[in-house]
Amino acid sequence: MEYTVQKLAQLAGVSSRTLRYYDQIGILTPARVNSSGYRIYGQKEVDRLQQILFYRELGIALETIKEIMTAPSFDAEKALKEHREQLLEKRKQLDLLITNVEKTIASTEGRMDMSDQEKFEGFKKKMIDENQRKYGKEIREKYGQETVNQSNAKLMNMSQEDYEAVTKLEAEVREALAEAFATGDPAGEQAQKAAELHKRWLTYYWTEYSKEAHAGLAQMYVDDERFTAYYDKEQPGMAAFLRDAIHIYTGQK
Amino acid sequence: MEYTVQKLAQLAGVSSRTLRYYDQIGILTPARVNSSGYRIYGQKEVDRLQQILFYRELGIALETIKEIMTAPSFDAEKALKEHREQLLEKRKQLDLLITNVEKTIASTEGRMDMSDQEKFEGFKKKMIDENQRKYGKEIREKYGQETVNQSNAKLMNMSQEDYEAVTKLEAEVREALAEAFATGDPAGEQAQKAAELHKRWLTYYWTEYSKEAHAGLAQMYVDDERFTAYYDKEQPGMAAFLRDAIHIYTGQK
DNA sequence: ATTGACCTTTACGTTACGTCAAGGTTTATC
DNA sequence: GATAAACCTTGACGTAACGTAAAGGTCAAT
């Protein structure tokens, strides 16, 4: 089955402008254009649009959706299963909101007391990010560390191989870091190797690497107690040591 | 309890910029500003912000929210009950989407066949009737029927054909109604034909038809002066006549 | 041959904020 | 009692994901 813009738009419940925009930003290009320049969409595009709409429904930016879906490791079926989980999560949040509105009705009728905090329960879907913003400043909450290992792996739609590679790399970083820490020299060979491994680990998550961002993340390892706890688990002072090594590696400061 | 911008922002899970913007557009002004020009919010503002966020969650534009909430007829408790209904509606739509994703998974696994239409079930927004009845009043008032038809057509993502059909139907309703009005009998053949045409017109906008809702809308044509004005334009009493005809048609009352 | 619903590109407009910038205020700490 | 950190203020420009309008080509049906 082939569709023109308007036909596909009607089928999917979006506007034709939306489809043209999606073509423009390269997230959904037509199967072909006919001799008059009309966009013609086929079965593959229908399915791709469906995927896009699932991501969009979950509040993912189009640019991000594009990155996810054009990655060579993208697996449509895995993505769908992820959608299902996210949608169920969204449903749970909606239920929270419904509880909230019911409690609020009860409280306006004097049948109940409500704290100010309770009044905003269920709106919080972003509160986790907000909480993290309280600690860090920018890229950090996005590219943080431990939650990222799982949640971003999902978001990036990593393959099993990638996930294994990244987990292995993480172990290597820790190992190299332990060795380096024993030398006590953040500028030494061992420490610089650890910094480089850390960078390679990072590139699995970051779409583009910059020294500044890398240095910033390193600083956060010291500033944010949750990360400090993670790195200092074995040896106190490890987080600060890693920061110093990375700062030297990136040539910052 | 009094809050500064940041405090309230944290409580509600929004940014301080958002609160300043809300002040700027006049949808949520602080209770007072202190001697240094700081915004100070009180209990009333907390509750108002909660209401705003409920509306926002339902996808209502801030400008519209403002109009709704500053209207003298605004009733907070009634609004909350509407929120509950709308949220339940939203949950139903979410469930549709979840069913969709599950069917899609099954179809990629070859356990099921899916039509292209089915692939987009749950994405399309409904709420058009609400839009029409509650939030579209001033749009209707300002720009008249033609633009309302157009904006609704866009909302429903109607095709040109549909739009034409709906415009034609509307003319037929008026014509049949004028004829019926001349007979003076709301139970007569002419009047019942007008009621049926009116129902057909409605089904272009409503995702599901019910006699109760139809009867309710008819009553509103009499209660709301703007609708009354529209129907009584040619003949005073036409709105009431249409209501009676529809009430008989639907078997209500 | 015309009409009217399609399609195209170009381009400016809109909403709900995010993100500096430049500067004043409050609070905690040395 | 100075000073830094952490607030607050008002601009003002940036953005995402389209909406909307303009100017014009295409296609099917009358």
Side-chain angles (χ1 to χ4, degrees):
Chain A
M1 181 69 179
E2 295 201 320
Y3 298 94
T4 58
V5 258
Q6 185 117 318
K7 291 282 175 57
L8 180 56
Q10 279 220 61
L11 175 72
V14 301
S15 72
S16 47
R17 172 66 170 104
T18 297
L19 292 182
R20 269 183 229 109
Y21 179 65
Y22 285 3
D23 185 10
Q24 184 188 326
I25 65 173
I27 193 175
L28 182 72
T29 47
R32 61 187 180 86
V33 290
N34 72 11
S35 55
S36 329
Y38 288 20
R39 293 173 178 80
I40 309 290
Y41 298 88
Q43 193 56 50
K44 240 180 60 192
E45 287 71 32
V46 170
D47 293 341
R48 188 179 169 92
L49 178 56
Q50 188 201 21
Q51 278 274 7
I52 292 170
L53 293 185
F54 273 123
Y55 279 114
R56 191 182 70 166
E57 187 71 21
L58 295 167
I60 316 273
L62 293 178
E63 196 51 43
T64 312
I65 298 175
K66 185 180 162 187
E67 278 171 21
I68 294 171
M69 293 188 65
T70 56
S73 60
F74 179 70
D75 176 344
E77 196 178 334
K78 247 170 77 181
L80 285 168
K81 289 182 176 167
E82 190 49 42
H83 294 328
R84 181 178 49 191
E85 275 190 46
Q86 298 283 340
L87 288 172
L88 289 170
E89 187 57 40
K90 202 176 167 182
R91 203 191 127 105
K92 272 165 66 181
Q93 192 224 326
L94 232 184
D95 285 341
L96 266 175
L97 248 183
I98 291 169
T99 308
N100 180 340
V101 80
E102 271 161 1
K103 284 205 275 188
T104 308
I105 290 170
S107 90
T108 61
E109 287 173 351
R111 294 188 281 106
M112 201 179 159
D113 269 4
M114 244 184 132
S115 73
D116 282 354
Q117 278 89 334
E118 286 177 293
K119 288 178 187 171
F120 295 99
E121 211 147 320
F123 288 120
K124 286 180 176 186
K125 64 169 187 268
K126 250 197 80 182
M127 262 304 232
I128 303 144
D129 302 305
E130 213 64 41
N131 259 340
Q132 292 199 348
R133 175 164 301 158
K134 231 178 75 182
Y135 286 92
K137 267 180 189 167
E138 25 177 23
I139 343 158
R140 304 159 178 200
E141 115 253 21
K142 231 177 183 173
Y143 305 113
Q145 202 262 277
E146 67 190 14
T147 16
V148 164
N149 239 4
Q150 299 167 334
S151 74
N152 257 14
K154 283 176 197 163
L155 235 175
M156 302 288 281
N157 209 266
M158 268 189 192
S159 68
Q160 189 64 28
E161 288 144 327
D162 284 346
Y163 183 74
E164 275 169 24
V166 91
T167 306
K168 193 181 154 211
L169 249 179
E170 195 189 336
E172 285 178 35
V173 170
R174 293 189 66 103
E175 196 181 337
L177 189 58
E179 269 184 49
F181 189 72
T183 73
D185 180 15
E189 197 184 326
Q190 298 291 335
Q192 289 308 296
K193 187 189 155 199
E196 201 231 324
L197 282 168
H198 185 261
K199 172 190 168 178
R200 280 175 49 198
W201 172 78
L202 253 188
T203 54
Y204 272 88
Y205 296 116
W206 289 9
T207 45
E208 54 184 70
Y209 174 85
S210 83
K211 287 177 178 179
E212 290 76 14
H214 194 184
L217 183 68
Q219 181 60 44
M220 194 188 62
Y221 285 173
V222 175
D223 292 338
D224 188 315
E225 55 182 78
R226 288 164 304 179
F227 293 105
T228 314
Y230 173 72
Y231 280 102
D232 280 4
K233 198 162 51 189
E234 285 165 46
Q235 299 275 335
M238 198 93 109
F241 183 82
L242 176 58
R243 176 202 55 188
D244 293 342
I246 291 175
H247 278 190
I248 290 160
Y249 178 79
T250 59
Q252 294 290 115
K253 177 63 195 306
Chain B
M1 181 70 177
E2 294 202 319
Y3 297 93
T4 58
V5 258
Q6 185 117 320
K7 293 280 176 58
L8 180 57
Q10 280 219 28
L11 175 72
V14 301
S15 72
S16 47
R17 172 68 171 103
T18 296
L19 293 182
R20 268 183 228 109
Y21 180 65
Y22 285 3
D23 185 9
Q24 183 188 323
I25 64 172
I27 193 175
L28 182 72
T29 47
R32 62 187 178 84
V33 290
N34 72 10
S35 55
S36 327
Y38 287 22
R39 292 173 179 80
I40 309 291
Y41 298 89
Q43 192 56 49
K44 242 180 59 193
E45 287 72 32
V46 170
D47 293 342
R48 188 178 170 93
L49 178 56
Q50 189 202 19
Q51 279 275 6
I52 292 170
L53 293 185
F54 273 121
Y55 279 114
R56 191 183 69 166
E57 187 70 21
L58 295 167
I60 316 272
L62 293 180
E63 196 51 43
T64 312
I65 299 177
K66 186 180 161 187
E67 276 172 23
I68 294 170
M69 293 188 65
T70 56
S73 60
F74 179 70
D75 176 344
E77 199 178 331
K78 242 172 80 184
L80 285 167
K81 288 179 178 169
E82 269 166 35
H83 294 331
R84 184 179 47 190
E85 293 306 307
Q86 298 286 336
L87 288 171
L88 289 170
E89 186 58 38
K90 200 175 169 181
R91 196 170 68 173
K92 269 166 67 182
Q93 193 217 327
L94 230 184
D95 286 341
L96 265 175
L97 248 183
I98 291 169
T99 307
N100 180 340
V101 81
E102 272 161 1
K103 284 205 274 187
T104 308
I105 290 170
S107 90
T108 62
E109 287 172 351
R111 294 187 280 106
M112 199 178 163
D113 269 4
M114 244 184 132
S115 72
D116 281 354
Q117 277 89 335
E118 286 178 293
K119 288 178 185 171
F120 295 99
E121 211 146 322
F123 286 120
K124 296 181 188 186
K125 313 284 170 189
K126 340 171 124 187
M127 274 171 51
I128 180 75
D129 55 341
E130 285 302 317
N131 237 318
Q132 180 84 343
R133 274 160 48 195
K134 303 208 177 61
Y135 312 129
K137 284 183 191 171
E138 30 283 292
I139 298 174
R140 185 181 285 271
E141 177 187 36
K142 267 186 196 159
Y143 308 109
Q145 188 60 32
E146 174 70 8
T147 15
V148 169
N149 272 356
Q150 275 183 26
S151 74
N152 277 344
K154 277 171 201 152
L155 244 168
M156 296 294 282
N157 198 26
M158 269 188 194
S159 68
Q160 191 64 26
E161 274 166 314
D162 286 345
Y163 173 66
E164 266 167 41
V166 90
T167 306
K168 193 180 152 213
L169 250 179
E170 196 203 326
E172 286 178 29
V173 170
R174 292 190 68 104
E175 196 181 336
L177 190 58
E179 267 179 51
F181 189 68
T183 73
D185 178 16
E189 198 184 318
Q190 298 291 334
Q192 290 307 296
K193 187 187 154 200
E196 200 227 313
L197 283 168
H198 185 261
K199 172 192 169 178
R200 281 173 51 199
W201 173 77
L202 251 189
T203 55
Y204 273 90
Y205 296 117
W206 288 9
T207 46
E208 53 190 293
Y209 174 84
S210 82
K211 288 178 177 179
E212 290 73 27
H214 193 183
L217 183 68
Q219 181 59 44
M220 195 187 58
Y221 284 173
V222 176
D223 293 340
D224 189 308
E225 56 183 336
R226 283 165 296 206
F227 288 100
T228 314
Y230 172 71
Y231 281 101
D232 281 1
K233 197 162 51 189
E234 285 164 47
Q235 300 275 334
M238 196 93 110
F241 182 83
L242 177 58
R243 177 203 54 189
D244 293 341
I246 291 176
H247 278 189
I248 289 160
Y249 178 80
T250 59
Q252 296 289 115
K253 172 65 188 308

